[in-house]
Amino acid sequence: MKNMKDNYKIKINKCITNIKNGMHKIPKKVKVIMIVLFIVLLIIGLVVTIIVESKKQKYEEYTGKNLNESKYPGYKERINKLQEEHPNWTFTLFYTKLDWEEVIENEGHQDNTEYPLNLIPDSSKYPEDWRCEIDKEKTFDNGTWLCASDKAIKYQMDPRNILNEENIFQFAELKYVEGAQTEKGINEITEGSFLEGNSITEALIQAGKSANLDPYFIASRLIQEQGRNGTILSRGCEHNDTVVYNPFNINAKGNSQEEIIQNAAEYAYEQGWDTLEKALIGGVEFLKEGYINVGQNTLYLQKFDVVNQDDSLYSHQYMQNLLAPQSEANNMKEIYEISDTVDANLNFIVPLYENMPEEVSEK
């Protein structure tokens, strides 16, 4: 062993000696050029590293002093107001490093895509200019949805329209918090729905705890997807001679009701979801693996794919319904209020965009 080490040292010393001897033979001008080239390459490398790092998304706990108001107007006063009213709440600043107008352009409907990323109900309840110019009168999904305009998308995506008591739960981090999510809250929100019953309540709490996922979010998502009475996908539908369940509406897409159910049922069949319990457990795991673990850990981020952990943007969204995060957030807020845990130690992840206008997006 000692001889091997000695031989190794001899070889290294010989190599160093050869390099020194070789350097002495190089003309002085060439040495200077080599040094200059080395310095230039080093500087280029540092600049590239700085540029790459500056574009990387990052998360930072809000302290009240670490938010540039001139760069991100209208955020600070809204966050501070919420913290004053709920001292146990914390806020995480999510620097998306994305330009606001580019985000809206990518979220908007393109004329070369079959399915718009964002849809609104075909209803007179919403302004006429919430319908996109492309496919203005064309209906999608089951025939009751319209393509959303950039104006509608801006209003729903602008974080400053969400930083208030009514909508803040769109930013709630969807994790299990001991003592914050209770059976009382689940029972209250599921009463009279297809989820009613102690066994389902216990299953939702346990599934959330096991997956470190907010059980209130799970219940809210199920009601959002199925309605209070449920649908054929939560009551069970036959596919390949097997009754299957898909209460989370996973892969439920298409331009007709028949196509939507067919796609969702086929997915459930492939997963072996032949009971509602299996479908609930499998659906929770799907949410965790497919969304939570890639950084889409709020209602907002599951709708708007502005997280770049998987090296892609704008395509990985849970639903097309532009209004879904707002609706689900209202359900979650209601559950927290009913269970008297709205002031628990909850965290909210607030996205920041570059080049935000001073004016808050209007409806």
Side-chain angles (χ1 to χ4, degrees), residues 218-258:
I218 299 172
S220 176
R221 173 59 53 85
L222 288 167
I223 292 173
Q224 173 73 29
E225 295 290 348
Q226 298 294 317
R228 299 198 67 79
N229 296 325
T231 69
I232 187 172
L233 291 173
S234 55
R235 293 192 296 267
C237 61
E238 189 169 324
H239 185 80
N240 289 349
D241 298 322
T242 303
V243 176
V244 295
Y245 301 80
N246 191 343
F248 287 95
N249 284 350
I250 299 171
N251 207 43
K253 59 184 179 181
N255 284 326
S256 69
Q257 189 70 16
E258 182 180 356

Side-chain angles (χ1 to χ4, degrees), residues 172-206:
E173 186 176 2
L174 302 174
K175 65 179 180 179
Y176 180 82
V177 179
E178 192 69 45
Q181 299 105 11
T182 66
E183 291 188 7
K184 176 184 176 183
I186 297 290
N187 286 333
E188 288 285 349
I189 199 66
T190 58
E191 184 178 359
S193 75
F194 75 99
L195 293 171
E196 184 175 23
N198 290 333
S199 61
I200 296 294
T201 295
E202 291 173 5
L204 289 172
I205 292 287
Q206 188 55 49

